Amino acid sequence: MARRKPGTLLPLENEILDAALALRRKGSATFHGFGLAHAIRERSGSRSLTAHGTLYKALARLEEFGLLSSRWEEAADATEGRPRRRLYELTADGLLVARSDRTDERIAPRARVPRPA
Amino acid sequence: MTPERMAALVLRWVRFYTRGLDGAVAERRRDEIAVDLHDHIGYARGDGEADARIAREIAARMLRGVAADVAWRRRQPKEERSMRPFRRSAVRVAVGVALILSLPLVAMRLTSAVAWSVGDFVLAGVLSTIIGAALELAVKKAGSVALGVGVGALGIAAGVIGRCGDAPGLIVFGLLLVGSGGALALRRALPGR
């Protein structure tokens, strides 16, 4: 499992932000767990989907950092007996970080993430 | 195995690693994985994937995420995991009480010098339980295992001295000392009380 340097994001967290930004540019401001796993697979060209535990742990961390927010989908929007989805969205800080240059693993000082607890 | 059966297996794993957590936290994780599985199966079937392959993919996603699941669980705040420590404390107290009561029981079989009545056992059992619970609370609040062990050793010493005096009452006195120590530790841990 990748270890976090203070003030940086893990590779998967970066991938999530990139995928979230790409979805936003396509007009989907919100995204859900499986949709995100699928988008990451498409972007990376990988054969497998991100594992449940890894994906939802990373989403929870990004939410803790204030880079994502989430809410349950309205019951009326859950079609054909499908359970309600948890919908995630980039926050203003998340958008700033997603748009920043993170190629060297460091993120912009204004959007520096808090140290993990 | 069908994808639905594999999904049920995954949800069983989720229920297992979220057991004892705060209800809202556990429910959110379970619901989120449940809808993920639902979406996964629906999407893969729509894409023409064979059921066996979908089931394998689901199993692989679960297995690759096990370490993250365990890490996530360990990161949950302690107050959200209050049920498990409570159960552990109860087991520790029960085992301690059973051990204490087994001493005079064994002694009665070996020598006629020790003669406890049913009332003595009941009284010692009740007092030991109260004192054990106080000790658990004191150690938990004070956060010092050494303090609890020290107080416990004092009580055991008093109990042994009491046994040498051949009077169950002295053992009870020793147990009361343990209780006093526990109460003292609790007071130190909760300033202003």
Side-chain angles (χ1 to χ4, degrees), chain B residues 102-182:
Chain B
S102 70
L103 290 175
L105 195 66
V106 171
M108 281 170 69
R109 299 219 170 238
L110 297 176
T111 172
S112 58
V114 179
W116 278 34
S117 67
V118 175
D120 290 333
F121 276 104
V122 170
L123 182 65
V126 169
L127 284 170
S128 306
T129 304
I130 292 169
I131 290 161
L135 261 179
E136 281 286 335
L137 201 58
V139 169
K140 191 180 288 183
K141 294 290 180 191
S144 167
V145 175
L147 183 67
V149 170
V151 171
L154 180 70
I156 289 166
V160 169
I161 293 165
R163 270 167 54 79
C164 291
D166 196 23
L170 282 179
I171 294 180
V172 172
F173 174 69
L175 293 172
L176 282 172
L177 266 180
V178 177
S180 305

Side-chain angles (χ1 to χ4, degrees), chain B residues 10-167:
Chain B
V10 172
L11 288 175
R12 196 174 292 180
W13 160 244
V14 177
R15 275 196 296 277
F16 177 73
Y17 76 74
T18 55
R19 75 198 186 286
L21 295 183
D22 174 75
V25 172
E27 192 179 3
R28 174 176 165 179
R29 175 53 72 108
R30 286 195 292 264
D31 289 351
E32 211 162 16
I33 303 279
V35 72
D36 182 303
L37 293 164
H38 182 278
D39 284 341
H40 187 163
I41 294 169
Y43 178 85
R45 279 205 177 121
D47 213 29
E49 278 186 39
D51 273 8
R53 186 177 168 189
I54 301 171
R56 276 200 306 274
E57 277 181 356
I58 291 173
R61 284 186 79 196
M62 179 187 78
L63 291 172
R64 282 187 282 111
V66 164
D69 289 332
V70 173
W72 172 82
R73 181 187 165 84
R74 290 182 65 180
R75 280 190 56 248
Q76 298 308 304
K78 281 185 179 174
E79 59 266 27
E80 291 173 358
R81 301 174 60 182
S82 56
M83 283 307 291
R84 235 176 110 201
F86 174 78
R87 266 190 226 135
R88 273 204 296 254
S89 294
V91 169
R92 274 198 295 265
V93 170
V95 169
V97 169
L99 281 174
I100 288 169
L101 295 183
S102 70
L103 290 175
L105 195 66
V106 171
M108 281 170 69
R109 299 219 170 238
L110 297 176
T111 172
S112 58
V114 179
W116 278 34
S117 67
V118 175
D120 290 333
F121 276 104
V122 170
L123 182 65
V126 169
L127 284 170
S128 306
T129 304
I130 292 169
I131 290 161
L135 261 179
E136 281 286 335
L137 201 58
V139 169
K140 191 180 288 183
K141 294 290 180 191
S144 167
V145 175
L147 183 67
V149 170
V151 171
L154 180 70
I156 289 166
V160 169
I161 293 165
R163 270 167 54 79
C164 291
D166 196 23

Side-chain angles (χ1 to χ4, degrees), chain A residues 88-105:
Chain A
Y88 292 86
E89 192 170 2
L90 283 168
T91 62
D93 280 348
L95 202 54
L96 190 72
V97 174
R99 284 175 175 158
S100 66
D101 178 19
R102 284 166 281 130
T103 50
D104 63 350
E105 285 196 355

